[in-house]
Short mmCIF file of all heavy atoms in Angstrom, two decimals:
data_model
loop_
_atom_site.label_atom_id
_atom_site.label_comp_id
_atom_site.label_asym_id
_atom_site.label_seq_id
_atom_site.Cartn_x
_atom_site.Cartn_y
_atom_site.Cartn_z
N MET A 1 1.60 -4.94 11.70
CA MET A 1 1.05 -5.21 12.97
C MET A 1 1.91 -4.49 14.03
O MET A 1 3.02 -4.16 13.76
CB MET A 1 1.02 -6.75 13.20
CG MET A 1 0.07 -7.44 12.37
SD MET A 1 -0.07 -9.16 12.85
CE MET A 1 -0.90 -9.15 14.34
N GLU A 2 1.34 -4.49 15.16
CA GLU A 2 2.13 -3.84 16.33
C GLU A 2 2.40 -4.89 17.35
O GLU A 2 1.59 -5.69 17.69
CB GLU A 2 1.15 -2.80 16.93
CG GLU A 2 1.86 -2.04 18.12
CD GLU A 2 0.79 -1.02 18.67
OE1 GLU A 2 0.22 -0.33 17.89
OE2 GLU A 2 0.69 -0.92 19.87
N VAL A 3 3.65 -4.85 17.91
CA VAL A 3 4.04 -5.79 18.93
C VAL A 3 3.53 -5.14 20.30
O VAL A 3 3.90 -4.09 20.60
CB VAL A 3 5.63 -5.92 18.99
CG1 VAL A 3 5.96 -6.84 20.14
CG2 VAL A 3 6.08 -6.54 17.63
N ASP A 4 2.81 -6.00 20.94
CA ASP A 4 2.21 -5.51 22.29
C ASP A 4 2.69 -6.59 23.33
O ASP A 4 1.95 -7.68 23.38
CB ASP A 4 0.71 -5.41 22.11
CG ASP A 4 0.18 -4.95 23.46
OD1 ASP A 4 0.90 -4.82 24.44
OD2 ASP A 4 -1.06 -4.79 23.46
N ILE A 5 3.67 -6.32 24.07
CA ILE A 5 4.19 -7.31 24.99
C ILE A 5 3.27 -7.58 26.08
O ILE A 5 3.42 -8.49 26.89
CB ILE A 5 5.68 -7.08 25.41
CG1 ILE A 5 5.66 -5.63 26.13
CG2 ILE A 5 6.60 -7.05 24.23
CD1 ILE A 5 6.92 -5.38 26.78
N GLY A 6 2.33 -6.70 26.29
CA GLY A 6 1.29 -6.81 27.33
C GLY A 6 0.08 -7.63 27.02
O GLY A 6 -0.79 -7.96 27.89
N SER A 7 -0.06 -7.98 25.79
CA SER A 7 -1.20 -8.75 25.35
C SER A 7 -1.02 -10.22 25.55
O SER A 7 0.08 -10.82 25.33
CB SER A 7 -1.45 -8.51 23.84
OG SER A 7 -2.55 -9.26 23.33
N ALA A 8 -2.11 -10.91 26.00
CA ALA A 8 -2.11 -12.29 26.32
C ALA A 8 -2.20 -13.14 25.02
O ALA A 8 -1.76 -14.34 24.96
CB ALA A 8 -3.13 -12.69 27.26
N VAL A 9 -2.78 -12.57 23.89
CA VAL A 9 -2.96 -13.40 22.76
C VAL A 9 -2.70 -12.40 21.50
O VAL A 9 -2.69 -11.19 21.66
CB VAL A 9 -4.38 -13.85 22.57
CG1 VAL A 9 -4.66 -14.84 23.64
CG2 VAL A 9 -5.45 -12.74 22.62
N THR A 10 -2.46 -13.00 20.39
CA THR A 10 -2.15 -12.21 19.23
C THR A 10 -3.49 -12.27 18.36
O THR A 10 -4.02 -13.26 18.06
CB THR A 10 -1.06 -12.91 18.31
OG1 THR A 10 0.12 -13.05 19.10
CG2 THR A 10 -0.87 -12.20 17.00
N LEU A 11 -3.98 -11.00 18.06
CA LEU A 11 -5.17 -10.81 17.36
C LEU A 11 -4.98 -10.17 16.04
O LEU A 11 -4.10 -9.40 15.82
CB LEU A 11 -6.17 -9.86 18.22
CG LEU A 11 -6.40 -10.24 19.65
CD1 LEU A 11 -7.24 -9.14 20.31
CD2 LEU A 11 -7.16 -11.55 19.62
N MET A 12 -5.91 -10.48 15.16
CA MET A 12 -5.99 -9.89 13.77
C MET A 12 -7.43 -9.81 13.43
O MET A 12 -8.27 -10.77 13.61
CB MET A 12 -5.14 -10.76 12.80
CG MET A 12 -5.22 -10.21 11.41
SD MET A 12 -4.22 -11.25 10.29
CE MET A 12 -2.60 -10.68 10.70
N SER A 13 -7.79 -8.77 12.77
CA SER A 13 -9.15 -8.67 12.31
C SER A 13 -9.50 -9.78 11.25
O SER A 13 -8.44 -10.14 10.53
CB SER A 13 -9.46 -7.27 11.62
OG SER A 13 -8.84 -7.17 10.40
N ASN A 14 -10.70 -10.26 11.12
CA ASN A 14 -11.00 -11.31 10.16
C ASN A 14 -10.78 -10.77 8.78
O ASN A 14 -10.38 -11.47 7.89
CB ASN A 14 -12.41 -11.67 10.42
CG ASN A 14 -12.77 -12.96 9.53
OD1 ASN A 14 -12.07 -13.92 9.47
ND2 ASN A 14 -13.84 -12.91 8.77
N THR A 15 -11.10 -9.50 8.52
CA THR A 15 -10.91 -8.88 7.26
C THR A 15 -9.46 -8.95 6.84
O THR A 15 -9.05 -9.42 5.66
CB THR A 15 -11.27 -7.40 7.23
OG1 THR A 15 -12.70 -7.37 7.64
CG2 THR A 15 -11.17 -6.79 5.91
N GLU A 16 -8.49 -8.61 7.75
CA GLU A 16 -7.00 -8.65 7.43
C GLU A 16 -6.57 -10.12 7.30
O GLU A 16 -5.85 -10.42 6.49
CB GLU A 16 -6.29 -7.88 8.49
CG GLU A 16 -4.78 -7.64 8.11
CD GLU A 16 -4.59 -6.63 6.92
OE1 GLU A 16 -5.50 -5.90 6.60
OE2 GLU A 16 -3.60 -6.82 6.28
N PHE A 17 -7.10 -11.00 8.18
CA PHE A 17 -6.66 -12.37 8.08
C PHE A 17 -7.03 -12.98 6.79
O PHE A 17 -6.17 -13.67 6.22
CB PHE A 17 -7.53 -13.03 9.21
CG PHE A 17 -7.18 -14.52 9.20
CD1 PHE A 17 -6.10 -14.99 10.07
CD2 PHE A 17 -7.89 -15.48 8.60
CE1 PHE A 17 -5.81 -16.39 10.12
CE2 PHE A 17 -7.58 -16.81 8.59
CZ PHE A 17 -6.51 -17.26 9.30
N ARG A 18 -8.24 -12.71 6.22
CA ARG A 18 -8.60 -13.28 4.98
C ARG A 18 -7.74 -12.67 3.87
O ARG A 18 -7.47 -13.34 2.76
CB ARG A 18 -10.08 -12.98 4.71
CG ARG A 18 -11.03 -13.73 5.63
CD ARG A 18 -10.84 -15.29 5.42
NE ARG A 18 -11.62 -16.09 6.38
CZ ARG A 18 -11.31 -17.29 6.79
NH1 ARG A 18 -10.28 -17.96 6.11
NH2 ARG A 18 -12.05 -17.89 7.61
N LYS A 19 -7.36 -11.32 3.89
CA LYS A 19 -6.47 -10.87 2.84
C LYS A 19 -5.16 -11.60 2.81
O LYS A 19 -4.62 -11.88 1.79
CB LYS A 19 -6.20 -9.45 3.20
CG LYS A 19 -7.34 -8.48 2.90
CD LYS A 19 -7.01 -6.97 3.20
CE LYS A 19 -8.16 -6.11 3.14
NZ LYS A 19 -7.82 -4.69 3.53
N LEU A 20 -4.62 -11.96 4.00
CA LEU A 20 -3.30 -12.47 4.08
C LEU A 20 -3.33 -14.03 3.87
O LEU A 20 -2.43 -14.59 3.38
CB LEU A 20 -2.60 -12.16 5.42
CG LEU A 20 -2.31 -10.71 5.67
CD1 LEU A 20 -1.81 -10.49 7.03
CD2 LEU A 20 -1.25 -10.27 4.63
N PHE A 21 -4.34 -14.70 4.50
CA PHE A 21 -4.28 -16.16 4.54
C PHE A 21 -5.47 -16.80 3.65
O PHE A 21 -5.58 -18.12 3.60
CB PHE A 21 -4.53 -16.68 5.98
CG PHE A 21 -3.40 -16.23 6.81
CD1 PHE A 21 -3.47 -15.22 7.71
CD2 PHE A 21 -2.24 -16.92 6.76
CE1 PHE A 21 -2.48 -14.81 8.55
CE2 PHE A 21 -1.08 -16.55 7.60
CZ PHE A 21 -1.22 -15.51 8.48
N GLY A 22 -6.32 -16.02 3.06
CA GLY A 22 -7.41 -16.61 2.13
C GLY A 22 -8.33 -17.40 3.05
O GLY A 22 -8.73 -16.93 4.12
N GLN A 23 -8.80 -18.46 2.52
CA GLN A 23 -9.83 -19.37 3.15
C GLN A 23 -9.22 -20.44 3.96
O GLN A 23 -9.93 -21.53 4.03
CB GLN A 23 -10.83 -19.78 2.10
CG GLN A 23 -11.55 -18.67 1.44
CD GLN A 23 -12.39 -17.86 2.46
OE1 GLN A 23 -13.11 -18.49 3.30
NE2 GLN A 23 -12.37 -16.61 2.28
N ILE A 24 -8.03 -20.24 4.52
CA ILE A 24 -7.52 -21.36 5.33
C ILE A 24 -8.44 -21.66 6.43
O ILE A 24 -9.13 -20.86 7.08
CB ILE A 24 -6.08 -20.88 5.88
CG1 ILE A 24 -5.41 -22.03 6.60
CG2 ILE A 24 -6.26 -19.72 6.91
CD1 ILE A 24 -3.92 -21.73 6.95
N LYS A 25 -8.53 -22.99 6.78
CA LYS A 25 -9.40 -23.50 7.77
C LYS A 25 -8.94 -23.04 9.19
O LYS A 25 -7.78 -23.31 9.57
CB LYS A 25 -9.58 -24.97 7.71
CG LYS A 25 -10.60 -25.59 8.73
CD LYS A 25 -10.76 -27.03 8.45
CE LYS A 25 -11.67 -27.69 9.55
NZ LYS A 25 -12.96 -27.77 9.15
N MET A 26 -9.88 -22.55 10.06
CA MET A 26 -9.52 -22.15 11.38
C MET A 26 -10.14 -23.05 12.42
O MET A 26 -11.17 -23.66 12.11
CB MET A 26 -9.96 -20.78 11.63
CG MET A 26 -9.31 -19.55 10.93
SD MET A 26 -9.83 -18.04 11.51
CE MET A 26 -11.18 -17.71 10.41
N ARG A 27 -9.57 -23.25 13.56
CA ARG A 27 -10.07 -23.91 14.61
C ARG A 27 -11.17 -23.06 15.46
O ARG A 27 -10.95 -21.88 15.40
CB ARG A 27 -9.08 -24.44 15.62
CG ARG A 27 -8.08 -25.37 14.99
CD ARG A 27 -7.10 -25.91 16.05
NE ARG A 27 -6.63 -24.87 16.88
CZ ARG A 27 -5.54 -24.95 17.54
NH1 ARG A 27 -4.89 -26.02 17.62
NH2 ARG A 27 -5.12 -23.97 18.36
N ARG A 28 -12.04 -23.74 16.02
CA ARG A 28 -12.96 -22.99 16.83
C ARG A 28 -12.21 -22.40 18.07
O ARG A 28 -11.34 -22.92 18.65
CB ARG A 28 -14.04 -23.98 17.46
CG ARG A 28 -14.90 -24.40 16.29
CD ARG A 28 -15.89 -25.38 16.77
NE ARG A 28 -16.77 -24.90 17.88
CZ ARG A 28 -17.71 -25.52 18.53
NH1 ARG A 28 -17.99 -26.72 18.23
NH2 ARG A 28 -18.30 -24.81 19.52
N PRO A 29 -12.62 -21.16 18.45
CA PRO A 29 -12.05 -20.48 19.57
C PRO A 29 -12.13 -21.36 20.96
O PRO A 29 -13.19 -21.98 21.11
CB PRO A 29 -12.77 -19.20 19.77
CG PRO A 29 -13.45 -18.92 18.47
CD PRO A 29 -13.69 -20.24 17.94
N GLN A 30 -11.15 -21.32 21.74
CA GLN A 30 -11.13 -22.09 22.99
C GLN A 30 -11.26 -21.18 24.21
O GLN A 30 -11.37 -21.78 25.30
CB GLN A 30 -9.82 -22.88 23.13
CG GLN A 30 -9.57 -23.81 21.93
CD GLN A 30 -10.65 -24.97 21.90
OE1 GLN A 30 -10.85 -25.59 22.93
NE2 GLN A 30 -11.26 -25.20 20.77
N ALA A 31 -11.22 -19.93 24.04
CA ALA A 31 -11.43 -19.00 25.11
C ALA A 31 -12.31 -17.82 24.79
O ALA A 31 -12.48 -17.42 23.62
CB ALA A 31 -10.02 -18.61 25.57
N ILE A 32 -12.81 -17.13 25.89
CA ILE A 32 -13.50 -15.89 25.69
C ILE A 32 -12.36 -14.83 25.93
O ILE A 32 -11.68 -14.75 26.86
CB ILE A 32 -14.63 -15.87 26.75
CG1 ILE A 32 -15.66 -16.86 26.49
CG2 ILE A 32 -15.32 -14.40 26.78
CD1 ILE A 32 -16.69 -16.94 27.58
N LEU A 33 -12.38 -13.88 24.85
CA LEU A 33 -11.43 -12.86 24.97
C LEU A 33 -12.07 -11.46 25.33
O LEU A 33 -13.17 -11.26 24.83
CB LEU A 33 -10.74 -12.63 23.55
CG LEU A 33 -9.94 -13.82 23.08
CD1 LEU A 33 -9.39 -13.51 21.71
CD2 LEU A 33 -8.95 -14.22 23.95
N LYS A 34 -11.55 -10.81 26.23
CA LYS A 34 -12.00 -9.50 26.65
C LYS A 34 -10.98 -8.39 26.56
O LYS A 34 -9.78 -8.73 26.78
CB LYS A 34 -12.51 -9.57 28.04
CG LYS A 34 -13.72 -10.46 28.34
CD LYS A 34 -14.13 -10.44 29.68
CE LYS A 34 -15.29 -11.39 30.00
NZ LYS A 34 -15.92 -11.34 31.30
N THR A 35 -11.32 -7.23 26.23
CA THR A 35 -10.52 -6.13 26.16
C THR A 35 -10.20 -5.64 27.69
O THR A 35 -10.78 -6.08 28.60
CB THR A 35 -11.13 -4.87 25.50
OG1 THR A 35 -12.32 -4.45 26.20
CG2 THR A 35 -11.57 -5.31 24.01
N TYR A 36 -9.28 -4.71 27.76
CA TYR A 36 -8.86 -4.14 29.01
C TYR A 36 -10.04 -3.59 29.76
O TYR A 36 -10.17 -3.74 31.01
CB TYR A 36 -7.81 -3.08 28.77
CG TYR A 36 -7.33 -2.42 30.10
CD1 TYR A 36 -6.33 -3.18 30.86
CD2 TYR A 36 -7.74 -1.22 30.47
CE1 TYR A 36 -5.97 -2.58 32.10
CE2 TYR A 36 -7.35 -0.67 31.72
CZ TYR A 36 -6.43 -1.35 32.46
OH TYR A 36 -6.02 -0.75 33.58
N SER A 37 -11.04 -3.05 29.01
CA SER A 37 -12.24 -2.47 29.61
C SER A 37 -13.39 -3.50 29.89
O SER A 37 -14.37 -3.13 30.34
CB SER A 37 -12.77 -1.25 28.71
OG SER A 37 -13.11 -1.86 27.51
N GLY A 38 -13.10 -4.76 29.51
CA GLY A 38 -14.08 -5.76 29.82
C GLY A 38 -15.00 -6.14 28.70
O GLY A 38 -15.77 -7.03 28.74
N GLU A 39 -14.84 -5.46 27.44
CA GLU A 39 -15.74 -5.77 26.27
C GLU A 39 -15.22 -7.04 25.75
O GLU A 39 -14.09 -7.43 25.47
CB GLU A 39 -15.48 -4.63 25.30
CG GLU A 39 -16.25 -4.93 23.97
CD GLU A 39 -15.95 -3.80 22.96
OE1 GLU A 39 -15.17 -2.92 23.25
OE2 GLU A 39 -16.45 -3.89 21.83
N VAL A 40 -16.25 -7.96 25.44
CA VAL A 40 -16.00 -9.27 24.88
C VAL A 40 -15.73 -9.10 23.35
O VAL A 40 -16.51 -8.42 22.66
CB VAL A 40 -17.18 -10.30 25.11
CG1 VAL A 40 -16.95 -11.58 24.28
CG2 VAL A 40 -17.35 -10.50 26.57
N LEU A 41 -14.73 -9.74 22.90
CA LEU A 41 -14.34 -9.74 21.45
C LEU A 41 -14.91 -10.93 20.83
O LEU A 41 -14.57 -12.11 21.28
CB LEU A 41 -12.86 -9.73 21.26
CG LEU A 41 -12.01 -8.58 21.78
CD1 LEU A 41 -10.52 -8.73 21.72
CD2 LEU A 41 -12.42 -7.27 21.02
N GLU A 42 -15.65 -10.82 19.67
CA GLU A 42 -16.20 -11.96 19.01
C GLU A 42 -15.13 -12.37 18.01
O GLU A 42 -14.68 -11.85 17.19
CB GLU A 42 -17.47 -11.41 18.19
CG GLU A 42 -18.63 -11.03 19.00
CD GLU A 42 -19.82 -10.78 18.24
OE1 GLU A 42 -20.34 -11.73 17.52
OE2 GLU A 42 -20.17 -9.67 18.20
N GLN A 43 -14.89 -13.72 18.19
CA GLN A 43 -13.83 -14.52 17.41
C GLN A 43 -14.39 -15.27 16.27
O GLN A 43 -15.47 -15.80 16.31
CB GLN A 43 -13.07 -15.37 18.30
CG GLN A 43 -12.37 -14.75 19.47
CD GLN A 43 -11.63 -15.82 20.33
OE1 GLN A 43 -10.70 -16.46 19.94
NE2 GLN A 43 -12.21 -16.10 21.52
N GLU A 44 -13.61 -15.22 15.16
CA GLU A 44 -13.98 -16.05 13.99
C GLU A 44 -13.34 -17.47 14.16
O GLU A 44 -13.80 -18.46 13.76
CB GLU A 44 -13.53 -15.51 12.71
CG GLU A 44 -14.26 -14.19 12.37
CD GLU A 44 -15.58 -14.45 11.83
OE1 GLU A 44 -15.98 -15.63 11.48
OE2 GLU A 44 -16.46 -13.56 11.93
N GLY A 45 -12.18 -17.51 14.75
CA GLY A 45 -11.46 -18.73 14.94
C GLY A 45 -9.98 -18.46 15.15
O GLY A 45 -9.47 -17.41 15.30
N THR A 46 -9.20 -19.55 15.31
CA THR A 46 -7.71 -19.53 15.60
C THR A 46 -7.01 -20.40 14.69
O THR A 46 -7.52 -21.42 14.17
CB THR A 46 -7.38 -19.92 17.02
OG1 THR A 46 -7.76 -21.26 17.21
CG2 THR A 46 -8.20 -19.03 18.05
N VAL A 47 -5.70 -20.02 14.46
CA VAL A 47 -4.77 -20.92 13.68
C VAL A 47 -3.41 -20.74 14.38
O VAL A 47 -3.11 -19.80 15.04
CB VAL A 47 -4.64 -20.49 12.15
CG1 VAL A 47 -5.91 -20.69 11.40
CG2 VAL A 47 -4.14 -19.03 12.08
N MET A 48 -2.57 -21.78 14.16
CA MET A 48 -1.18 -21.74 14.53
C MET A 48 -0.35 -21.24 13.34
O MET A 48 -0.47 -21.66 12.24
CB MET A 48 -0.69 -23.15 14.95
CG MET A 48 -1.40 -23.70 16.12
SD MET A 48 -1.24 -22.62 17.66
CE MET A 48 0.48 -23.02 18.08
N VAL A 49 0.45 -20.23 13.64
CA VAL A 49 1.30 -19.61 12.62
C VAL A 49 2.79 -19.70 13.01
O VAL A 49 3.10 -19.65 14.27
CB VAL A 49 0.90 -18.21 12.31
CG1 VAL A 49 -0.43 -18.20 11.78
CG2 VAL A 49 0.96 -17.32 13.56
N SER A 50 3.71 -19.63 12.13
CA SER A 50 5.18 -19.48 12.39
C SER A 50 5.48 -18.04 12.44
O SER A 50 5.12 -17.21 11.59
CB SER A 50 6.03 -20.18 11.36
OG SER A 50 5.77 -21.50 11.30
N VAL A 51 6.19 -17.55 13.50
CA VAL A 51 6.52 -16.17 13.76
C VAL A 51 7.97 -16.16 13.97
O VAL A 51 8.60 -16.79 14.78
CB VAL A 51 5.78 -15.66 14.99
CG1 VAL A 51 6.24 -14.22 15.25
CG2 VAL A 51 4.30 -15.76 14.78
N SER A 52 8.59 -15.14 13.26
CA SER A 52 10.04 -14.81 13.47
C SER A 52 10.10 -13.36 13.79
O SER A 52 9.54 -12.44 13.13
CB SER A 52 10.79 -15.11 12.15
OG SER A 52 10.78 -16.34 11.78
N TYR A 53 10.87 -13.03 14.89
CA TYR A 53 11.05 -11.64 15.27
C TYR A 53 12.38 -11.50 16.12
O TYR A 53 12.57 -12.30 17.04
CB TYR A 53 9.91 -11.29 16.22
CG TYR A 53 9.98 -9.84 16.76
CD1 TYR A 53 9.65 -8.74 15.91
CD2 TYR A 53 10.30 -9.59 18.04
CE1 TYR A 53 9.90 -7.43 16.27
CE2 TYR A 53 10.48 -8.29 18.51
CZ TYR A 53 10.29 -7.15 17.63
OH TYR A 53 10.35 -5.93 18.11
N ASN A 54 13.13 -10.72 15.65
CA ASN A 54 14.40 -10.28 16.34
C ASN A 54 15.23 -11.58 16.59
O ASN A 54 15.81 -11.81 17.62
CB ASN A 54 14.05 -9.61 17.64
CG ASN A 54 15.19 -8.73 18.06
OD1 ASN A 54 15.95 -8.31 17.34
ND2 ASN A 54 15.14 -8.37 19.40
N GLY A 55 15.41 -12.40 15.54
CA GLY A 55 16.18 -13.64 15.67
C GLY A 55 15.52 -14.76 16.45
O GLY A 55 16.12 -15.82 16.58
N GLN A 56 14.26 -14.62 16.93
CA GLN A 56 13.60 -15.77 17.53
C GLN A 56 12.52 -16.30 16.60
O GLN A 56 11.92 -15.59 15.84
CB GLN A 56 12.93 -15.23 18.76
CG GLN A 56 13.88 -14.73 19.79
CD GLN A 56 13.19 -14.30 21.05
OE1 GLN A 56 12.30 -14.94 21.57
NE2 GLN A 56 13.64 -13.26 21.69
N HIS A 57 12.26 -17.56 16.65
CA HIS A 57 11.28 -18.28 15.82
C HIS A 57 10.34 -19.14 16.75
O HIS A 57 10.86 -20.00 17.57
CB HIS A 57 11.99 -19.13 14.79
CG HIS A 57 12.98 -18.39 14.07
ND1 HIS A 57 12.67 -17.54 13.01
CD2 HIS A 57 14.33 -18.38 14.13
CE1 HIS A 57 13.76 -17.06 12.55
NE2 HIS A 57 14.86 -17.59 13.14
N LYS A 58 9.04 -18.93 16.60
CA LYS A 58 8.06 -19.61 17.40
C LYS A 58 6.80 -19.96 16.58
O LYS A 58 6.59 -19.33 15.61
CB LYS A 58 7.60 -18.74 18.57
CG LYS A 58 8.68 -18.21 19.52
CD LYS A 58 9.10 -19.29 20.42
CE LYS A 58 10.22 -18.69 21.33
NZ LYS A 58 10.75 -19.61 22.26
N HIS A 59 6.15 -21.04 17.04
CA HIS A 59 4.84 -21.34 16.55
C HIS A 59 3.79 -20.79 17.54
O HIS A 59 3.83 -21.29 18.67
CB HIS A 59 4.68 -22.82 16.34
CG HIS A 59 5.38 -23.34 15.10
ND1 HIS A 59 6.65 -23.66 15.11
CD2 HIS A 59 4.95 -23.54 13.82
CE1 HIS A 59 7.10 -24.04 13.94
NE2 HIS A 59 6.14 -23.99 13.17
N LEU A 60 2.97 -19.84 17.12
CA LEU A 60 2.05 -19.22 18.06
C LEU A 60 0.67 -19.28 17.56
O LEU A 60 0.46 -19.35 16.32
CB LEU A 60 2.57 -17.75 18.31
CG LEU A 60 3.90 -17.55 18.84
CD1 LEU A 60 4.28 -16.09 18.83
CD2 LEU A 60 4.05 -18.09 20.20
N GLN A 61 -0.27 -19.13 18.46
CA GLN A 61 -1.75 -18.94 18.11
C GLN A 61 -2.01 -17.62 17.61
O GLN A 61 -1.63 -16.67 18.28
CB GLN A 61 -2.58 -19.48 19.27
CG GLN A 61 -3.98 -19.51 19.00
CD GLN A 61 -4.82 -20.04 20.08
OE1 GLN A 61 -4.91 -21.28 20.25
NE2 GLN A 61 -5.40 -19.21 20.90
N LEU A 62 -2.83 -17.53 16.46
CA LEU A 62 -3.32 -16.32 16.03
C LEU A 62 -4.81 -16.28 16.07
O LEU A 62 -5.40 -17.27 15.54
CB LEU A 62 -2.81 -16.10 14.55
CG LEU A 62 -3.34 -14.74 13.84
CD1 LEU A 62 -3.01 -13.46 14.54
CD2 LEU A 62 -2.96 -14.87 12.42
N CYS A 63 -5.47 -15.36 16.61
CA CYS A 63 -6.90 -15.32 16.84
C CYS A 63 -7.48 -14.31 15.86
O CYS A 63 -7.00 -13.14 15.86
CB CYS A 63 -7.36 -14.93 18.16
SG CYS A 63 -6.85 -16.02 19.46
N ALA A 64 -8.44 -14.69 14.95
CA ALA A 64 -9.14 -13.69 14.09
C ALA A 64 -10.36 -13.31 14.75
O ALA A 64 -11.20 -14.21 15.12
CB ALA A 64 -9.43 -14.49 12.69
N VAL A 65 -10.53 -11.99 14.81
CA VAL A 65 -11.71 -11.48 15.49
C VAL A 65 -12.57 -10.81 14.41
O VAL A 65 -12.15 -10.32 13.48
CB VAL A 65 -11.35 -10.50 16.62
CG1 VAL A 65 -10.72 -11.21 17.71
CG2 VAL A 65 -10.54 -9.29 16.11
N LYS A 66 -13.87 -10.84 14.75
CA LYS A 66 -14.93 -10.20 13.75
C LYS A 66 -14.55 -8.70 13.65
O LYS A 66 -14.19 -8.03 14.51
CB LYS A 66 -16.30 -10.45 14.22
CG LYS A 66 -16.67 -11.88 14.22
CD LYS A 66 -18.12 -12.03 14.59
CE LYS A 66 -18.50 -13.55 14.47
NZ LYS A 66 -19.83 -13.86 14.82
N GLY A 67 -14.85 -8.24 12.38
CA GLY A 67 -14.69 -6.80 12.00
C GLY A 67 -13.41 -6.51 11.17
O GLY A 67 -12.85 -7.40 10.72
N ASP A 68 -13.22 -5.27 11.14
CA ASP A 68 -11.99 -4.88 10.33
C ASP A 68 -11.22 -3.84 10.98
O ASP A 68 -10.50 -3.01 10.37
CB ASP A 68 -12.55 -4.29 8.90
CG ASP A 68 -13.49 -3.13 9.10
OD1 ASP A 68 -13.74 -2.72 10.22
OD2 ASP A 68 -13.89 -2.59 8.03
N GLY A 69 -11.17 -3.88 12.31
CA GLY A 69 -10.26 -2.91 13.08
C GLY A 69 -8.83 -3.22 12.93
O GLY A 69 -8.40 -4.18 12.27
N PRO A 70 -7.99 -2.32 13.44
CA PRO A 70 -6.52 -2.52 13.27
C PRO A 70 -5.99 -3.71 13.98
O PRO A 70 -6.57 -4.01 15.11
CB PRO A 70 -5.95 -1.18 13.82
CG PRO A 70 -7.01 -0.67 14.78
CD PRO A 70 -8.34 -1.11 14.18
N SER A 71 -4.99 -4.26 13.58
CA SER A 71 -4.31 -5.42 14.16
C SER A 71 -3.47 -4.90 15.31
O SER A 71 -2.91 -3.89 15.22
CB SER A 71 -3.55 -6.22 13.19
OG SER A 71 -4.48 -6.78 12.21
#
């Protein structure tokens, strides 16, 4: 994955999500997500995940979006 400090949410394609997490149950999306150009992203769902980066540890929301594009 790529760290994007300008992104409001963490996204992953549903295809990649299923490879990594299998059939884990997701919550229904709570927000409408749009790209910088205004295109609406279709979401499959969200989960809370544990993230460690550069010595920091957080529980963050991960949104799985439809398709198989890059994370």
Side-chain angles (χ1 to χ4, degrees):
M1 292 185 73
E2 179 179 319
V3 175
D4 181 354
I5 60 172
S7 179
V9 296
T10 301
L11 302 177
M12 178 180 282
S13 72
N14 189 53
T15 302
E16 192 66 24
F17 180 90
R18 293 298 176 200
K19 284 181 191 173
L20 295 173
F21 297 103
Q23 294 301 315
I24 189 171
K25 184 174 172 100
M26 290 188 270
R27 295 186 317 200
R28 292 177 52 180
Q30 300 295 312
I32 296 172
L33 302 179
K34 294 183 180 181
T35 65
Y36 181 77
S37 62
E39 178 185 357
V40 174
L41 295 173
E42 292 186 64
Q43 299 176 71
E44 291 289 339
T46 65
V47 295
M48 294 300 289
V49 295
S50 296
V51 177
S52 297
Y53 179 74
N54 207 20
Q56 297 183 38
H57 308 284
K58 303 282 181 183
H59 284 83
L60 303 172
Q61 182 172 279
L62 173 63
C63 298
V65 294
K66 292 185 179 182
D68 59 358
S71 296

